[in-house]
Structure formats: C-alpha cells, structure tokens
Amino acid sequence: MALSVLAHFSPGEKVTEFLAPYTDWLDIRYCEEDDDDTFYRELPDADVIWHVLRPISGADLQKARRLRLVNKLGAGVNTVDVDTATRLGVAVANMPGANAASVAEGAVLLMLAALRRLLELDRATREGRGWPADPSLGETVRDIGGCTVGLVGYGNIAKRVERIVVAMGTPPSAVLHTSTRDDGHPGWRPLPDLLAASDIVSLHLPLTDRSLGLLDATALARMKPEAVLVNTSRGPIVDEIALTEALRAGRLAAAGLDVFATEPVAPDNPLLSLANVVLTPHVTWYTVDTMRRYLTHAVDNCRRLHEGQPLLHVVNTVDGQTH
C-alpha cells in the first residue's frame, strides 16, 4: 500500500522529475502553503507531511487522523506544535545541516549587499546618477576581509559562514561567535562583547523562548553605528521596532534581512521603506541543491516509515522512544 504524503509546497519541474521514480510506493499530493482549502481536504488522509514554513497547529494535527510523521524540510521546528504531535503519537523530524551551505552563502550575500550599498548603487546607475561616484563610498563601504564578523549561534550554518569569510580575507582571530555557553572554541565571546566588537553581526540560532527578542533595543545599542546586522535565522529574534529606529537614526549602518517577525511581511512594515536595508523573502535556503538534499532526506525517512525502520532526526519522543 502506498504511503500518502502531503507535500506542503508547490513543486517545480525538477522536483517532480526527482520524485518520479518513487511514485510506485509514494502517493504525493502537493499543496501551496497559502491554499488552506486543499490542505484541509488532503490532511485527514495524509500519513506524512513534508513541512516547510506554514505553521502546523495542534488543531491541524488533530484533523490528521492517519498522520504518523511530520518531516520538516529544514532544521527549525518552531512552526510545528511538537507537544501536540507527541501526545498524538506523531513523530516530528527535521533535516539538520541540509540547508547549511545555501543559507551560509545567502547570509554572506546579504552581508556584501548591505556592506557595499549594492541596492543604492544599482538604483543610482539605472537612474543615470552613478557618475561621478559618490565620494562617501570610500568612507563607508568595507571589505569583508577588513571587518570583525560576529556570529550569534555557532551551528552548521555559522561555521560555514566562518569558513567563507576567512577565505575572503577576514583573519580567523576577527571571527567571533557566541552560543549558550563558552564552548572552548577560539573566538567565543559573551553576546554583549560580541555586539560591541563586531562590524558585521550575523544571526544563526533557532527561535526559542530564550532567543525571542534577543536583539532588542538594549542589544542593538551595543553595536557600532557603522555596523551591519544580518538575519537569516528567524524574524522574532530581532525587535523590528527597535531595529527600524536604530537604522533611521543612524545608530546602525545597514541590515540584510531574509526573515521577519510576521511572514509574509506586511507591505506597511517600515523596514521595507528604508534605503539601508536589503530584503529577501525567507529564501536563502531555497536552491536547487538544498531542495535535492531535502527530497533525498524526505524520501529516505518515508522509506524507513514504510518498512518499519527507525526514522532519522526525530526531535520528539513517540511511543517511549526517539527514532
């Protein structure tokens, strides 16, 4: 009997081609994340959900009477009601490290775009204002190799960012990081010290009760006025009102943001109107290469479920065990 999978995203041609060899035992139904009519129609018959970003609530899980596995395409499971899933006997799994390469490159892309005033220069060139060059460029834009880079969180993605910026010329001694405790690695600093010392601060930590609002007005005030903040982790880690005020007042030079407190981001969010902010819609992870890794993991866990084998990367305890 085929395993019924509700894939909560809209597939491209490469996705369907990759999955075609498995359709003899996987019955995959696709649903765009904003299509609740299809989601709730398919949900009761799903054995597995391939989950991306649209939150899965406890009420959703209770409607999924056959559900056995929610497999997050990514690492963060803050968008799944894990407690309810556990109570209902539904395994919740993630894919740690699968998107690390793509998100790390995306973070560095945002660093460069903000640091080098890319969008401003693009607009000036298109409007015929590029020549003569703005004399402030030589006093404001920086090389990554000349910056102290502070990484908040030190998991797979942050370590890849570290390798990239070192390859671009940043001395290893100028790459700082913080985590929940001193991990013994060179460059560890308490968060207040890291914020005060860094020219670029890049966030790479999950959204938890502890990290919610971590970068508030007090934390932002510790940063250098010429510093750049990059966030490719989760929007609510940053107090967006405080960030907007700091950017407007010149207490922070620029920001590169892939994530927001509310997603999709509201059109009246004041961050969208600031010239010193570079924005992308939570897509630093979204590449052909990451999707291939996600689908490989997802199919493997479905195969394990289908054959009664232990699942990989389960984050909760179901039936007395983690898989």
Side-chain angles (χ1 to χ4, degrees), residues 114 140 199 224-229 246-247 250-255 275-277:
T140 55
D199 302 300
K224 300 176 182 180
E226 65 271 20
V228 169
L229 176 68
L247 289 163
R251 296 192 301 272
L252 198 62
N276 55 344
V277 180

Side-chain angles (χ1 to χ4, degrees), residues 268-284:
D268 61 351
N269 186 316
L271 288 167
L272 275 61
S273 65
L274 299 181
N276 55 344
V277 180
V278 183
L279 308 167
T280 53
H282 205 149
V283 292
T284 54

Side-chain angles (χ1 to χ4, degrees), residues 8-318:
H8 207 180
F9 58 89
S10 182
E13 184 178 344
K14 291 182 183 296
V15 169
T16 54
E17 287 179 356
F18 178 84
L19 293 172
Y22 307 105
T23 53
D24 59 332
W25 61 276
L26 284 181
D27 177 15
I28 305 171
R29 310 291 179 89
Y30 296 98
C31 171
E32 294 189 10
E33 288 202 305
D34 60 355
D35 184 357
D36 278 356
D37 289 342
T38 300
F39 178 72
Y40 287 115
R41 184 175 66 248
E42 298 289 347
L43 185 61
D45 296 321
D47 298 304
V48 178
I49 297 175
W50 289 349
H51 167 62
V52 184
L53 287 172
R54 185 269 200 195
I56 297 179
S57 68
D60 294 338
L61 292 168
Q62 289 171 348
K63 294 180 175 71
R65 53 179 177 257
R66 288 178 44 179
L67 191 64
R68 299 163 65 190
L69 169 65
V70 176
N71 214 149
K72 166 75 176 185
L73 274 64
V77 295
N78 59 289
T79 48
V80 182
D81 186 337
V82 178
D83 290 340
T84 298
T86 302
R87 180 171 56 81
L88 295 174
V90 176
V92 178
N94 65 353
M95 301 177 186
N99 65 8
S102 301
V103 177
E105 290 184 13
V108 175
L109 174 68
L110 289 173
M111 288 179 193
L112 285 167
L115 200 66
R116 302 296 293 263
R117 294 166 56 182
L118 177 65
L119 298 188
E120 179 184 343
L121 293 173
D122 177 87
R123 285 192 296 269
T125 305
R126 293 174 188 274
E127 295 168 3
R129 298 183 290 105
W131 290 270
D134 181 347
S136 71
L137 285 177
E139 299 176 356
T140 55
V141 302
R142 300 283 305 276
D143 298 338
I144 280 184
C147 293
T148 296
V149 179
L151 306 171
V152 182
Y154 200 53
N156 290 318
I157 296 170
K159 289 172 182 175
R160 281 183 175 266
V161 170
E162 180 177 34
R163 292 198 293 271
I164 294 170
V165 298
V166 168
M168 295 176 71
T170 303
S173 60
V175 182
L176 311 178
H177 71 272
T178 194
S179 49
T180 53
R181 64 185 185 280
D182 186 345
D183 53 23
H185 291 283
W188 185 89
R189 298 288 188 279
L191 179 61
D193 294 355
L194 179 146
L195 295 174
S198 299
D199 302 300
I200 303 169
V201 173
S202 191
L203 306 183
H204 302 284
L205 65 169
L207 179 61
T208 64
D209 291 341
R210 185 170 181 173
S211 66
L212 179 66
L214 182 69
L215 269 288
D216 58 10
T218 301
L220 293 170
R222 293 191 173 100
M223 294 178 63
K224 300 176 182 180
E226 65 271 20
V228 169
L229 176 68
V230 171
N231 189 7
T232 56
S233 54
R234 289 294 184 266
I237 292 171
V238 178
D239 181 334
E240 288 186 350
I241 295 175
L243 176 61
T244 301
E245 292 174 351
L247 289 163
R248 280 178 172 164
R251 296 192 301 272
L252 198 62
L257 306 175
D258 185 54
V259 290
F260 303 88
T262 300
E263 295 178 351
V265 64
D268 61 351
N269 186 316
L271 288 167
L272 275 61
S273 65
L274 299 181
N276 55 344
V277 180
V278 183
L279 308 167
T280 53
H282 205 149
V283 292
T284 54
W285 62 274
Y286 199 17
T287 68
V288 169
D289 308 282
T290 283
M291 282 303 297
R292 179 62 59 87
R293 290 188 289 268
Y294 280 176
L295 295 172
T296 299
H297 282 289
V299 170
D300 183 38
N301 250 1
C302 283
R303 179 187 59 78
R304 289 169 175 272
L305 185 66
H306 195 243
E307 297 177 358
Q309 298 179 7
L311 302 176
L312 297 179
H313 306 304
V314 175
V315 302
N316 61 339
T317 301
V318 179

